């Protein structure tokens, strides 16, 4: 068996291996698990500054799992959120939940209406809870992708 391993520009890995006349290809995401408690505490201690960094990282991770290489970047989501007084952040949280549901359904995992949950939490002023739940889902995706 021969093995070829490469890191793609979007921080995903491609593994190609072959045995006799069969070639197999497997694409793996390069999601890093994040400590949710530490991120929440840093967001509180820094009076929300760390939550901006966290939001940017979440956007990039969601773009990675959804396969949108030209999706809205984390910086633009932050800027659009400021320009729309937070309404774009609500929209993005809904779309992030949809992206997680689509990824789960494509892998045969249970899925629900995460977008609505994230949206409602964000609208009612619990954006940090929605971010923590989204990070928890991304951590599960990172675990599922390793196995």
């Amino acid at each position: 068996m021969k093995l070829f391993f490469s890191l793609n520009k979007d921080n995903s890995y491609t593994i190609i291996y072959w045995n006799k006349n069969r070639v197999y290809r497997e694409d793996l995401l390069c999601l890093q698990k994040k400590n949710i408690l530490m991120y929440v505490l840093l967001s509180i201690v820094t009076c929300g500054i760390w939550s901006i960094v966290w939001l940017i990282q979440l956007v990039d991770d969601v773009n990675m799992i959804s396969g949108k290489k030209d999706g809205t970047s984390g910086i633009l989501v932050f800027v659009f959120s400021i320009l729309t007084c937070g309404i774009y952040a609500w929209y993005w949280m809904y779309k992030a939940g949809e992206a997680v549901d689509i990824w789960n359904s494509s892998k045969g995992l249970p899925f629900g209406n995460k977008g609505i949950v994230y949206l409602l939490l964000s609208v009612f002023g619990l954006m940090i809870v929605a971010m923590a739940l989204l990070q928890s889902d991304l951590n599960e995706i990172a675990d599922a992708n390793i196995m």
Side-chain angles (χ1 to χ4, degrees):
M1 176 186 288
K2 296 185 179 185
L3 179 70
F4 176 73
F5 180 77
S6 70
L7 175 64
N8 302 324
K9 291 180 182 178
D10 63 348
N11 286 336
S12 64
Y13 292 100
T14 300
I15 299 173
I16 300 174
Y17 52 98
W18 56 94
N19 190 4
K20 296 185 181 181
N21 294 332
R22 296 194 76 171
V23 177
Y24 304 93
R25 177 187 170 142
E26 192 170 332
D27 293 321
L28 298 175
L29 300 174
C30 185
L31 285 179
Q32 291 183 341
K33 287 181 64 173
K34 296 174 180 73
N35 186 334
I36 298 168
L37 180 61
M38 183 182 73
Y39 273 51
V40 169
L41 290 176
L42 281 171
S43 297
I44 293 169
V45 168
T46 62
C47 298
I49 294 172
W50 184 256
S51 64
I52 296 167
V53 174
W54 189 15
L55 176 67
I56 292 168
Q57 291 175 354
L58 285 173
V59 172
D60 294 339
D61 288 347
V62 169
N63 284 342
M64 187 184 305
I65 67 163
S66 64
K68 294 181 181 177
K69 296 179 178 159
D70 60 347
T72 308
S73 71
I75 300 289
L76 282 179
V77 168
F78 174 66
V79 170
F80 292 157
S81 297
I82 290 173
L83 293 176
T84 61
C85 299
I87 295 172
Y88 190 82
W90 298 346
Y91 166 77
W92 183 84
M93 288 302 286
Y94 175 77
K95 296 305 274 182
E98 280 187 345
V100 170
D101 284 339
I102 289 169
W103 192 91
N104 283 339
S105 68
S106 72
K107 301 299 180 190
L109 299 171
F111 63 95
N113 295 320
K114 294 182 187 300
I116 293 172
V117 173
Y118 299 158
L119 174 66
L120 289 175
L121 286 169
S122 299
V123 167
F124 289 111
L126 298 170
M127 180 81 158
I128 196 161
V129 174
M131 291 171 64
L133 289 174
L134 176 58
Q135 186 63 61
S136 174
D137 290 333
L138 291 173
N139 286 348
E140 288 177 11
I141 290 171
D143 282 341
N145 200 41
I146 290 171
M147 295 179 180

